[in-house]
Amino acid sequence: MTDTPAAVTVRQHTAVSFLLVLVPLALGAALGLVVDPLVNWLIDRVDSAPAPLRLAAELPPAWAAAALAAVGTGAGVWLAHRARAEALTLTVGPDEVRLTQNGAQRCVSKAAVAEVFLDRRDLVLLDARARQLARHDARELNPEAVGAAFAGFAYPWCGTEDPHESEFRRWADGDPALADELHGLLRSRADAVLSKDTTRATELADSARERGIVVRDRDGAQQYRWLVASCSEGHPDCA
């Protein structure tokens, strides 16, 4: 009997979390050692200093360093937690891919995946009709580890370039090549991207795909390509 191979998980390196905690801790400790002269300098220059610094300045230097190091550690733990939540966690198994980011999880069946690749910072999965099954910011992941995880389970790994690169064009609001409904979706998505509402941006990209286009962000602007095979309403080649 052959054992089913275990899934492979690729995530943000633990060193990132370590540094996000260590740096604020060290800065807090260093600030505690110089907080008294710093507060005096601020009072001399601007006749004021932040209340937390004034309180720390009343402590002995060792206590001030310990107190501000604790504050720095708390801030660092919060930053590390946020960074881990915002970074993609990729789990590749023999039958499916799980993508977890910003508290949301998406599962994609291996049978549905015809192409998988890195498009600059994004991990992209496409089906047999080149429809986008998933697109996630994967800048925190090691590209070699991502490629090895997919290749290890015989997924159709295409490397670090989009095979459909030449098909994309920049979105211009009002372009007659797109129907008004699609322009409305892309305007809403542009607002979601600007406000960093990744969940809403993903939902709108999914809606755009259902109407015949694949959307991505490139150099501060949205780009799209047509799914000609679907002949969605609004495509210039559709009668």
Side-chain angles (χ1 to χ4, degrees), residues 120-169:
R120 292 194 181 181
R121 69 184 188 185
D122 293 340
L123 175 65
V124 184
L125 285 76
L126 304 181
D127 68 9
R129 293 172 57 189
R131 294 179 301 184
Q132 192 167 278
L133 300 172
R135 177 182 286 267
H136 285 262
D137 185 341
R139 73 182 78 187
E140 301 294 340
L141 304 188
N142 181 286
E144 289 76 18
V146 171
F150 283 109
F153 288 101
Y155 282 76
W157 174 248
C158 300
T160 56
E161 292 185 5
D162 188 338
H164 305 275
E165 179 70 31
S166 63
E167 300 170 25
F168 281 94
R169 59 188 295 181

Side-chain angles (χ1 to χ4, degrees), residues 2 32 42 47-48 81 90 103 120 173 177 186 197 222 227-228 231:
T2 304
L42 287 172
D47 198 32
S48 180
H81 175 74
L90 167 69
R120 292 194 181 181
D173 199 353
L186 294 180
D197 187 347
Q222 291 186 111
L227 295 169
V228 179
C231 203

Side-chain angles (χ1 to χ4, degrees), residues 18-222:
F18 178 75
L19 287 173
L20 286 173
V21 174
L22 179 62
V23 171
L25 183 159
L27 290 175
L31 180 59
L33 295 174
V34 299
V35 68
D36 188 35
L38 175 62
V39 166
N40 291 331
W41 181 84
L42 287 172
I43 291 174
D44 289 341
R45 289 300 181 101
V46 297
D47 198 32
S48 180
L53 292 184
R54 294 200 307 270
L55 289 173
E58 295 177 2
L59 300 172
W63 283 92
L68 292 179
V71 172
T73 300
V77 168
W78 182 84
L79 286 172
H81 175 74
R82 288 300 309 152
R84 178 58 66 95
E86 292 174 0
L88 174 65
T89 297
L90 167 69
T91 302
V92 183
D95 301 312
E96 68 174 13
V97 181
R98 292 196 303 276
L99 305 112
T100 305
Q101 193 166 34
N102 290 311
Q105 185 176 92
R106 174 171 294 199
C107 295
V108 180
S109 168
K110 179 183 179 181
V113 179
E115 297 173 285
V116 55
F117 52 89
L118 286 169
D119 178 17
R120 292 194 181 181
R121 69 184 188 185
D122 293 340
L123 175 65
V124 184
L125 285 76
L126 304 181
D127 68 9
R129 293 172 57 189
R131 294 179 301 184
Q132 192 167 278
L133 300 172
R135 177 182 286 267
H136 285 262
D137 185 341
R139 73 182 78 187
E140 301 294 340
L141 304 188
N142 181 286
E144 289 76 18
V146 171
F150 283 109
F153 288 101
Y155 282 76
W157 174 248
C158 300
T160 56
E161 292 185 5
D162 188 338
H164 305 275
E165 179 70 31
S166 63
E167 300 170 25
F168 281 94
R169 59 188 295 181
R170 184 176 177 134
W171 171 64
D173 199 353
D175 184 343
L178 293 178
D180 290 341
E181 182 186 13
L182 285 171
H183 280 302
L185 281 172
L186 294 180
R187 279 193 294 270
S188 297
R189 187 176 178 278
D191 291 340
V193 171
L194 187 62
S195 62
K196 298 184 179 180
D197 187 347
T198 54
T199 300
R200 178 64 174 157
T202 299
E203 290 173 350
L204 290 165
D206 289 343
S207 295
R209 182 196 63 203
E210 291 170 0
R211 289 160 177 79
I213 63 172
V214 170
V215 185
R216 72 178 184 184
D217 300 301
R218 180 60 55 85
D219 300 327
Q222 291 186 111

